[in-house]
Amino acid sequence: MANNHYDAIVVGSGISGGWAAKELTEKGLKVLLLERGRNIEHVKDYTNASKEVWDYPHRDQATQEMKEKFPVLSRDYALNESTMGLWADEQANPYVEEKRFDWFRGYHVGGRSLMWGRQSYRLSPMDFEANQREGIAIDWPIRYEDLAPWYDYVERFAGIAGTREGLEVLPDGEFLPPIELNCVEKDVAQRIEAAFDGQRHLIHSRVANITQAKPEQNRVDCQYRNKCWLGCPYGAYFSTQSATLPAAMNTGNLTLRPFSIVTQVLYDKDRKRARGVEVIDAENHQTYEYTADLVFLNASTFNSTWILMNSATDIWEGGLGSSSGELGHNVMDHHFRCGASGDIEGYLDKYYFGRRPAGFYIPRFRNVGDQRRDYARGFGYQGAASRQGWDREIAELNVGAELKQALSQPGGWTIGMTGFGEMLPYHDNRIALDHSVRDKWGLPVLSVDVELKQNERDMRKDMIQDAVELLEAGGVQNVKGEEGDYAPGMGIHEMGTARMGRDPHTSVLNAYNQVWDAPNVFVTDGACMTSSSCVNPSLTYMALTARAVDHAVAELKRGNL
């Protein structure tokens, strides 16, 4: 086995792993960045970035062969020709569903930072306080004020387009100019504001698409192509490839090793510290060891916890970090596919420029202030208004020249939105190692046992009814409430399983994301979340990562790690 030493090892190269690599290398540490999948080079490997639907053999639809190979992806929109190669091989990387859980994974350099929806919101002071206030699970060990300067820091680098609204429930940030609402959305927003006495708001989406160039990062402003999930040749949206990886590489302190499956953290029981990691090379199946003073686990929520569960099992049966009894528990996602849509009359002399990669956002208003519902927490909405295109159905015109002429013109305006609801951290929503099932490399797989509880089911009723009420108040016609197919995991916001806390008896990590049982091991991806809020979590992972690195390097210099 080869033995190579670095100052720090980062496991996983997605949103949080890219940030860890950037921050550690810029602070002068020699860093090894390990990724279990292939390398995807910025621009060069975005093979479908400029293709249109007609450029694909099956018009970007999933074939029967694809559905057989990707049975989980085939449950949703994610399976298509344009994104082939960007999702984990389900045959080589199986998992066990005790209950249905749609786990969408990206095993390559950049991870899901290449395919994410880019919605970027801060958790609010209320989110950090909710568990303690309501007696649910455990209290966060930090408050909004602890993370606010780090939100500022990562927003300025990543580039978040948005508007300052002065809402306590959705804190403002360091924003670039917004991606504008269209004329229909602006009018609907005004009507909603008036109808609810300024208590409900339709605002611009806050998205990690830059609207002003960042030449220092070699990134060009958004071109309104709306092909973000295929990789952006302009670097207009934030990803590992466009932003954090180049910054880390520019320091000369980074070594990137793809095709490296981390099987365990190597633990020194005498020092009570990690000494490095063990790796299986995904191509030659050989085992290697790499040592370091710091280990950052950023392999994505479930995979970071898998690594902990598979580590130091000679000391703790449940793995490194399991002494609290909470490792693997408290899985959360954002439940969605509940909302409404309708038609907008008029505006036929109005259109919009390009293909926006964003729409509107309606911040949470339920269980805010004095009014209370029968369930805990709340939800926000994401949506958009647009004019129908050439693929609409026109029942009266179904053949010939009149149909062709009609389809050459845009149709009427429609508007729709879906709610994203908070899922509470339930102890019995959990993952565990299943040694009876093995992956391609002979490693045990995860068994997932997660479901929505009554609190979320009750919330979903409001998510539909409130959407109808909002749109009708906004002047929308023919409004229909909608509930689509949803199972945990589909939000692609899996969180929990190695939560932060104040007490090593009830949490896996401390206030700086350090594993209580090995303080030189940090977990700063979604696994660390103590509650989920209802906003997209990636911006919080970025801020937590930057904060943890700052603490880790300071502690390393003091000789405490």
Side-chain angles (χ1 to χ4, degrees):
M1 291 193 292
N3 288 278
N4 298 291
H5 184 78
Y6 294 83
D7 297 322
I9 292 172
V10 178
V11 182
S13 60
I15 279 180
S16 64
W19 266 101
K22 170 188 176 295
E23 295 299 299
L24 288 163
T25 55
E26 288 184 342
K27 291 180 184 296
L29 276 65
K30 296 295 184 182
V31 177
L32 175 63
L33 177 59
L34 298 170
E35 170 55 53
R36 67 180 294 147
R38 68 186 178 103
N39 191 13
I40 293 180
E41 292 188 34
H42 188 43
V43 183
K44 182 177 79 71
D45 291 333
Y46 302 157
T47 55
N48 292 334
S50 297
K51 289 184 180 179
E52 299 293 344
V53 172
W54 49 83
D55 292 318
Y56 299 98
H58 304 95
R59 301 300 184 261
D60 203 22
Q61 299 298 306
T63 65
Q64 292 304 311
E65 180 182 7
M66 290 162 60
K67 291 177 182 178
E68 290 177 8
K69 188 175 181 181
F70 295 92
V72 176
L73 275 178
S74 68
R75 300 170 185 171
D76 205 358
Y77 69 92
L79 185 64
N80 51 59
E81 290 178 290
S82 61
T83 57
M84 275 295 90
L86 293 178
W87 299 107
D89 184 336
E90 293 179 21
Q91 308 304 311
N93 302 278
Y95 66 101
V96 176
E97 295 177 272
E98 300 293 337
K99 299 181 180 71
R100 178 182 166 185
F101 190 94
D102 296 4
W103 190 16
F104 299 164
R105 298 162 286 172
Y107 291 168
H108 51 256
V109 171
R112 290 177 299 191
S113 79
L114 284 177
M115 300 99 80
W116 69 308
R118 306 167 313 286
Q119 299 278 322
S120 301
Y121 306 98
R122 298 185 179 200
L123 270 65
S124 71
M126 178 174 60
D127 292 320
F128 288 100
E129 299 163 4
N131 279 3
Q132 182 187 51
R133 185 177 61 248
E134 298 167 5
I136 291 173
I138 62 169
D139 187 21
W140 277 88
I142 60 174
R143 290 293 184 260
Y144 176 75
E145 291 74 22
D146 296 309
L147 208 54
W150 296 103
Y151 276 132
D152 290 348
Y153 178 73
V154 299
E155 285 166 345
R156 285 193 291 265
F157 180 82
I160 309 299
T163 53
R164 289 178 171 266
E165 302 289 341
L167 303 175
E168 185 177 351
V169 73
L170 193 73
D172 291 330
E174 298 291 318
F175 297 136
L176 297 174
I179 293 176
E180 288 289 341
L181 298 175
N182 60 41
C183 58
V184 167
E185 293 164 349
K186 289 178 180 177
D187 285 355
V188 171
Q190 290 179 349
R191 295 182 193 121
I192 288 175
E193 193 91 9
F196 295 99
D197 297 322
Q199 299 303 305
R200 301 185 188 181
H201 311 270
L202 187 156
I203 66 174
H204 300 75
S205 293
R206 295 174 178 176
V207 289
N209 292 75
I210 59 174
T211 51
Q212 293 176 342
K214 286 183 171 287
E216 74 280 6
Q217 296 181 27
N218 198 30
R219 297 172 62 194
V220 178
D221 51 302
C222 182
Q223 303 296 297
Y224 283 38
R225 300 165 72 241
N226 196 26
K227 294 178 178 291
C228 310
W229 60 94
L230 304 179
C232 181
Y234 303 92
Y237 74 87
F238 173 84
S239 68
T240 296
Q241 274 84 343
S242 69
T244 49
L245 184 58
M249 285 294 191
N250 287 342
T251 66
N253 291 328
L254 185 71
T255 300
L256 172 64
R257 193 187 198 281
F259 294 114
S260 301
I261 302 172
V262 175
T263 60
Q264 63 176 306
V265 173
L266 301 171
Y267 183 73
D268 185 332
K269 62 183 179 181
D270 296 323
R271 294 182 58 244
K272 296 183 179 180
R273 300 286 190 274
R275 60 181 182 86
V277 299
E278 181 184 82
V279 167
I280 289 180
D281 187 294
E283 294 183 300
N284 65 25
H285 292 228
Q286 296 298 305
T287 300
Y288 304 92
E289 287 187 4
Y290 296 95
T291 59
D293 301 317
L294 296 174
V295 175
F296 270 72
L297 296 182
N298 301 92
S300 80
T301 296
F302 287 1
N303 285 321
S304 289
T305 295
W306 182 97
I307 293 169
L308 290 173
M309 288 176 167
N310 206 49
S311 303
T313 53
D314 58 330
I315 302 171
W316 297 281
E317 183 180 357
L320 180 61
S322 67
S323 60
S324 66
E326 294 299 330
L327 185 66
H329 295 272
N330 313 298
V331 175
M332 298 168 283
D333 184 28
H334 287 137
H335 59 101
F336 71 131
R337 297 288 172 85
C338 282
S341 64
D343 303 320
I344 296 286
E345 294 182 357
Y347 300 93
L348 297 181
D349 60 337
K350 300 289 193 298
Y351 203 65
Y352 37 79
F353 171 79
R355 301 171 181 171
R356 293 179 308 168
F360 63 76
Y361 187 70
I362 297 178
R364 173 183 165 184
F365 51 84
R366 287 299 183 196
N367 290 327
V368 175
D370 294 332
Q371 69 83 22
R372 284 289 177 261
R373 307 297 286 176
D374 293 336
Y375 52 84
R377 313 297 165 89
F379 50 88
Y381 291 103
Q382 298 175 24
S386 62
R387 292 193 70 172
Q388 293 175 304
W390 58 268
D391 56 349
R392 67 189 184 276
E393 295 180 5
I394 302 178
E396 296 79 13
L397 300 172
N398 56 23
V399 70
E402 287 185 331
L403 174 65
K404 294 177 182 178
Q405 178 61 32
L407 294 184
S408 70
Q409 302 296 323
W413 286 86
T414 63
I415 188 171
M417 60 190 191
T418 185
F420 283 76
E422 179 166 356
M423 189 174 182
L424 295 179
Y426 303 102
H427 181 79
D428 57 350
N429 275 346
R430 64 188 294 264
I431 58 174
L433 294 186
D434 188 332
H435 291 273
S436 69
V437 181
R438 301 277 167 163
D439 67 13
K440 178 181 177 180
W441 298 273
L443 300 169
V445 306
L446 282 176
S447 172
V448 185
D449 188 355
V450 178
E451 64 180 356
L452 292 185
K453 307 291 187 181
Q454 192 61 46
N455 191 76
E456 289 75 41
R457 291 193 290 269
D458 290 344
M459 186 187 298
R460 291 175 75 78
K461 298 173 186 176
D462 265 7
M463 290 164 71
I464 299 170
Q465 294 169 2
D466 288 355
V468 171
E469 183 181 34
L470 283 161
L471 291 183
E472 288 179 343
V476 181
Q477 307 296 314
N478 306 318
V479 178
K480 296 179 181 178
E482 301 165 345
E483 181 170 13
D485 176 48
Y486 170 79
M490 289 180 75
I492 323 183
H493 294 166
E494 64 270 19
M495 290 171 273
T497 70
R499 69 186 180 190
M500 299 170 69
R502 301 178 185 274
D503 186 341
H505 295 101
T506 59
S507 59
V508 180
L509 311 172
N510 70 9
Y512 287 99
N513 300 80
Q514 295 167 271
V515 176
W516 289 107
D517 298 328
N520 64 337
V521 178
F522 293 74
V523 183
T524 65
D525 58 20
C528 76
M529 298 290 279
T530 311
S531 66
S532 65
S533 177
C534 66
V535 300
N536 301 55
S538 295
L539 185 70
T540 299
Y541 305 163
M542 298 185 211
L544 285 169
T545 302
R547 177 176 179 268
V549 169
D550 186 69
H551 177 76
V553 174
E555 286 291 280
L556 189 65
K557 290 179 178 178
R558 294 186 189 109
N560 293 334
L561 299 180

